[in-house]
Structures are given as structure tokens and as C-alpha cells.
Amino acid sequence: EIVLTQSPATLSLSPGERATLSCRASQSVTTGYLAWYQHKPGQAPRLLIYHASNRATGIPARFSGSGSGTDFTLTISSLDPEDFAVYYCQQRTNWPPMYTFGQGTKLEIK
Amino acid sequence: EVQLVESGGGLVQAGGSLRLSCAASGFSFSIYWMSWVRQAPGKGLEWVANIKQDGSEKYYVDSLKGRFTISRDNAKNSLFLQMDSLRAEDTALYYCARDSSNLGQFEEWGQGTLVTVSS
């Protein structure tokens, strides 16, 4: 089973600053299926990035994803007040299609 | 507009059973794999199970040990999760989610239904 470890657990930043969130896999994500989600209290999670670097429909350009193998990054270029939330990475195994999530990074207003 | 609406959550005693439902609308339900994902209080997201378009393949997180069963009714655009032998650690908000066509990620999510297991 691939374990995803996100860091930092909490990130305190101000609006307008750049956010860099990390997701490290215990072994290579050979499928390339690495996604990022934004989750706010009382709301459904929202898909941001898929295949490590592709923005989902309607996601602003300030969100970008990069990485391959075991190291992945979500970058928010200039934080908007609505971006403060918990962010999760997620991967899929080859077959059968089973999924694991990282433990999350809480992005909070400084 | 895509909608996934979960129902069936509630308070149940440990050892009891509960059946969750998810009503789908706004898309062709029968052509997508579907999943259940849960979030325990104060914890992160955990994938629970998924089911193929025709119900012929089903997969579960290893930790469930056969206590949950996922199913679907394409004629009624509905997804189900039968939960038996419930434990306190099953207490969570349960989300219904639509898998992407390449099975890489979850494109659409419901708002969730809360399951509370009392010990």
C-alpha cells in the first residue's frame, strides 16, 4: 500500500503570499494518478489538480501542480482569502483501482 | 447540473447495521465507476469502496474486513453502502463520489451523510 505523507501539517500565510504544499509517496506512483483536493468545513471536497499537473475544470490558474515518482507539490501562486482550507493529495493504485489520501495540510490565515 | 445526494445516516449502536444511499442526477450514472469516501471527526479523507459501472467489480479498503457492501441500481441512478457490524471507529461523514472516466480521481462529490456509532 502506498502511503502519502503531506507537509507541513499546518501552513500559516497571508493573502497574496505564495503557498507550497508537499506530498511524498512511500513508493513511486507509477500510475501517474496523483490528485489534489481543497476541502472547506461543511462543504464537499473540490478537485483541483489531476495527473499531478492538470487543473480541473474551473480551477483558477493560481493553482498548479508538479512532480512525479514520489514527490509532488501543489503551489498557489498568490493566496486569495477563499483559498484558506485543508488540502489533500490522493493517489490510485494500478489495479485494482484503490485509492489513498494524504493526511492533509491545513492552510490558515496568518 | 451534477448532483449527488446522500441519505441514510444516523445514530446506531455498535454491532448494528445501516444502509446509506446516494441519489445521482445530472449525468449518465450508468457509465461511471462510483465510490464512497469517509471522514472521521477531526481526521482526513479515507476511501472506503468503489463499484464498476455494471456492478461486476467491487473493491474495498483492507481495514473494513468484509463488513461493508457497496452496490448500485442503475435504473434508479442510485448507489448504496450496506454497513454491518458497525464499530465506534466507523463514525464519520460518508461521501458519495463519482470516479473520473480514467479512474484517477474523484470529479464530483456529494455533501455527505453523518454516521454515528455509539459504544
Side-chain angles (χ1 to χ4, degrees):
Chain A
E1 176 189 335
I2 296 179
V3 176
L4 299 178
T5 301
Q6 293 186 239
S7 61
T10 303
L11 185 57
S12 300
L13 294 170
S14 300
E17 290 193 292
R18 181 184 187 89
T20 303
L21 287 67
S22 173
C23 176
R24 179 161 291 177
S26 59
Q27 53 188 287
S28 182
V29 180
T30 57
T31 59
Y33 293 130
L34 193 289
W36 290 92
Y37 300 85
Q38 178 190 70
H39 195 195
K40 297 180 180 180
Q43 298 186 18
R46 177 191 182 195
L47 176 66
L48 300 174
I49 301 288
Y50 64 96
H51 287 183
S53 60
N54 295 274
R55 269 191 305 278
T57 303
I59 301 303
R62 65 180 181 274
F63 290 92
S64 64
S66 63
S68 64
T70 60
D71 289 296
F72 300 88
T73 300
L74 174 70
T75 301
I76 310 171
S77 59
S78 177
L79 285 167
D80 188 275
E82 67 183 18
D83 297 336
F84 293 92
V86 179
Y87 291 83
Y88 295 95
C89 58
Q90 165 254 307
Q91 68 86 32
R92 196 209 89 183
T93 59
N94 191 9
W95 203 264
M98 301 171 72
Y99 304 87
T100 53
F101 288 89
Q103 83 280 15
T105 289
K106 182 180 181 181
L107 179 57
E108 63 177 24
I109 299 177
K110 187 173 182 180
Chain B
E1 178 193 5
V2 171
Q3 281 200 315
L4 297 169
V5 181
E6 302 93 337
S7 61
L11 177 63
V12 61
Q13 286 193 330
S17 298
L18 214 53
R19 188 187 195 218
L20 305 184
S21 300
C22 171
S25 61
F27 66 100
S28 298
F29 178 75
S30 63
I31 69 172
Y32 288 94
W33 283 71
M34 296 294 295
S35 283
W36 288 97
V37 177
R38 67 184 179 182
Q39 183 177 34
K43 303 293 186 181
L45 301 171
E46 179 185 38
W47 173 79
V48 171
N50 62 1
I51 184 169
K52 193 177 178 179
Q53 292 93 331
D54 62 0
S56 62
E57 294 183 45
K58 306 173 185 182
Y59 302 104
Y60 301 88
V61 66
D62 290 343
S63 61
L64 285 181
K65 293 183 169 47
R67 297 184 295 116
F68 290 10
T69 303
I70 190 171
S71 62
R72 65 192 295 162
D73 183 340
N74 286 342
K76 295 183 178 179
N77 291 337
S78 294
L79 177 71
F80 305 101
L81 185 67
Q82 177 66 40
M83 303 187 296
D84 297 319
S85 302
L86 282 161
R87 305 169 180 172
E89 56 263 36
D90 296 318
T91 294
L93 187 60
Y94 284 75
Y95 293 101
C96 165
R98 190 185 83 182
D99 292 30
S100 62
S101 56
N102 65 356
L103 297 183
Q105 56 279 334
F106 306 109
E107 297 176 321
E108 303 289 346
W109 298 69
Q111 292 294 318
T113 187
L114 182 62
V115 172
T116 304
V117 183
S118 64
S119 53

